[in-house]
Amino acid sequence: MTANLLDYDLEGLAAFCERLGEKRFRATQLFRWIHQKGASQFDEMSDLAKSLREKLKACAHIQAPSVLSQHISVDGTIKWLFDVGGGNAVETVFIPEDDRGTLCVSSQAGCAVGCRFCSTGHQGFSRNLTVAEIVGQLWFAEHFLRGHLRTADRVISNVVMMGMGEPLQNYSALLLSLRVMLDDHGYGLSRRRVTVSTSGVVPMMDRLGNDCPVALAVSLHAPNDALRDNLVPLNRKYPLAELLAACKRYLAHAPRDFITFEYCMLEGVNDSPDHALQIIGLIKSLADGAWCKFNLIPFNPFPASGLVRSPQRCVLAFAKILSDAGIVTTVRKTRGDDIDAACGQLAGDVQDRTAVHRRIQKQRVVMIKSVGAESGTDQEEPVNG
Ligand code: SAH
Ligand code: SF4
């Protein structure tokens, strides 16, 4: 088995080159070919000596997970289902907006946290993705999009680790993947344009703050421990007081940043004015509201959740209570509804393993142009107090 070069950050690739008896700077050239130009064949790398290309062909390859299907929404959102072996598949979503292009990336096949409102959580945990599988989603999407949009310019300006899985429960692969994304010889994304979203794995939030303080989103979903224990079972291990203290420590690594709290609005569960007032108490008990912002996410239903989306008037009333208290609050507009690409709907079809197996065997890419009329992962709209 040869080495998949998508598994390495620049430091790892330099060590790999040294093991081949090559100078470390060759790694920079190689890294740029792979990530900036999207090369998958060593023969494309014209400024590398033929002897090196031959050596590389013998001991390395560049391989993203293969695409099982691709869906394009009427609103331009694109969802890919990637085969990650063993009957597992993960999803990646590209969300185009006027001023940016955001890629929503998966970190695990399934998820062990088991949040009640999340389709990925309902399917259970299969395994952690490797660096090549995480970076491969970006590698594939960026170079596919350049071809699709006929541009040589970078298309993906932002990455959010909000696809399937809990990124902080796959920490070592996540960290190397973030390094590839941020590296100037890689994707050159700025720290603030890469967001890690977590359900609150407190010790790993501290490590991320030390190692690579990218933008942090914390999935809150409840203003008190009793309710959060029920919705986000990880809360029983890391309750709210510990979670909020970890948020404050995180910001010590990036003092001018803020934490985004995600809050999925569930009718009759966490969406009352009293819940909003409890949030204000929680946030203000630490400091004034300027260190965080709230992103209210309309619940995206899926069969078997037994939960219902809060009506828009409840979401807006909730948002107003928070913004009136000086907490910056946005309501997320769902995107890609017609192709099931919205937050929490990413299931990777793994519930139906036989179907995935069948599709893997056929190894074909299905292009489905959706024709639904609905809007469609998730733009934010500011709420005016
Ligand atoms: N595991 C991480 C990141 C992946 S989930 C986390 O939980 O933060 C990304 C976001 O989608 C989280 O905020 C999650 O709470 C939200 N989400 C999950 N299921 C959802 C659903 N059915 N509707 C709306 N948002 C959902
Ligand atoms: Fe896992 Fe996040 Fe879904 Fe919770 S919301 S089950 S942590 S992917």
Side-chain angles (χ1 to χ4, degrees):
M1 186 61 186
T2 65
N4 189 349
L5 300 188
L6 290 181
D7 259 325
Y8 298 125
D9 67 352
L10 185 51
E11 195 48 43
L13 198 57
F16 179 82
C17 285
E18 278 186 334
R19 289 197 293 279
L20 292 182
E22 295 289 332
K23 296 267 190 309
R24 286 174 75 91
F25 79 88
R26 291 281 174 221
T28 308
Q29 281 176 296
L30 196 49
F31 201 70
R32 292 169 68 102
W33 272 108
I34 298 171
H35 298 293
Q36 295 189 346
K37 299 191 184 128
S40 60
Q41 302 299 323
F42 298 113
D43 280 335
E44 291 173 57
M45 306 180 180
S46 47
D47 57 355
L48 296 188
K50 190 154 191 304
S51 56
L52 172 56
R53 299 205 304 255
E54 293 304 318
K55 249 195 251 181
L56 287 167
K57 276 194 235 171
C59 67
H61 62 283
I62 299 158
Q63 175 96 55
S66 55
V67 177
L68 289 167
S69 66
Q70 169 176 284
H71 301 262
I72 304 182
S73 163
V74 282
D75 67 12
T77 300
I78 306 180
K79 180 174 83 166
W80 293 279
L81 184 69
F82 288 98
D83 171 21
V84 291
N88 293 309
V90 296
E91 288 178 326
T92 309
V93 180
F94 172 68
I95 307 129
E97 289 167 76
D98 289 344
D99 58 342
R100 61 187 145 167
T102 303
L103 193 71
C104 180
V105 170
S106 293
S107 55
Q108 299 180 311
C111 181
V113 177
C115 300
R116 269 185 59 197
F117 49 82
C118 173
S119 149
T120 308
H122 274 243
Q123 81 187 30
F125 176 69
S126 291
R127 70 166 174 85
N128 281 331
L129 297 190
T130 62
V131 179
E133 288 165 340
I134 297 173
V135 170
Q137 296 169 58
L138 174 57
W139 181 87
F140 173 86
E142 176 65 32
H143 302 293
F144 168 86
L145 288 163
R146 283 187 203 175
H148 183 66
L149 303 171
R150 296 198 173 82
T151 177
D153 298 336
R154 190 164 78 189
V155 179
I156 295 167
S157 60
N158 296 61
V159 170
V160 293
M161 298 301 302
M162 293 186 183
M164 299 169 69
E166 170 47 59
L168 294 186
Q169 289 188 335
N170 184 12
Y171 189 75
S172 51
L174 172 74
L175 183 61
L176 285 179
S177 303
L178 294 176
R179 292 197 166 132
V180 177
M181 293 173 194
L182 267 52
D183 201 303
D184 284 342
H185 301 292
Y187 297 87
L189 296 175
S190 81
R191 198 178 53 74
R192 288 197 173 91
R193 287 175 174 268
V194 176
T195 302
V196 168
S197 176
T198 181
S199 53
V201 191
V202 164
M204 294 300 152
M205 288 166 67
D206 286 324
R207 281 185 62 181
L208 186 67
N210 273 313
D211 294 338
C212 190
V214 292
L216 187 68
V218 173
S219 295
L220 195 69
H221 309 305
N224 60 64
D225 283 319
L227 185 53
R228 197 163 189 271
D229 283 352
N230 183 274
L231 294 175
V232 184
L234 192 65
N235 195 69
R236 297 176 204 148
K237 195 162 183 191
Y238 305 113
L240 279 170
E242 284 183 37
L243 177 60
L244 292 177
C247 290
K248 294 291 283 186
R249 290 196 297 276
Y250 195 89
L251 288 179
H253 298 283
R256 289 202 304 278
D257 289 10
F258 51 83
I259 305 280
T260 302
F261 287 113
E262 292 157 285
Y263 196 96
C264 181
M265 299 290 289
L266 303 163
E267 184 175 32
V269 176
N270 65 356
D271 65 344
S272 74
D274 184 54
H275 290 119
L277 295 172
Q278 289 182 46
I279 290 181
I280 295 167
L282 199 65
I283 298 303
K284 302 255 162 153
S285 66
L286 279 157
D288 67 38
W291 60 278
C292 65
K293 73 174 217 187
F294 264 77
N295 194 1
L296 305 181
I297 315 174
F299 170 59
N300 293 308
F302 59 95
S305 74
L307 296 162
V308 175
R309 179 186 283 196
S310 301
Q312 180 75 349
R313 63 179 161 75
C314 284
V315 177
L316 293 176
F318 199 93
K320 183 164 178 348
I321 298 174
L322 296 186
S323 16
D324 284 352
I327 300 174
V328 176
T329 306
T330 54
V331 177
R332 194 174 289 184
K333 206 161 75 180
T334 72
R335 299 275 309 264
D337 268 0
D338 54 330
I339 56 168
D340 282 354
C343 257
Q345 290 183 319
L346 307 184
D349 272 8
V350 242
Q351 293 108 323
D352 186 356
R353 287 167 193 268
T354 27
V356 173
H357 270 307
R358 255 197 318 273
R359 266 183 290 173
I360 293 171
Q361 280 161 5
K362 286 185 188 156
Q363 283 292 320
R364 66 194 168 102
V365 177
V366 184
M367 286 273 289
I368 298 174
K369 273 255 184 205
S370 290
V371 289
E374 274 181 49
S375 72
T377 313
D378 299 34
Q379 271 174 339
E380 287 155 29
E381 277 187 344
V383 172
N384 299 316

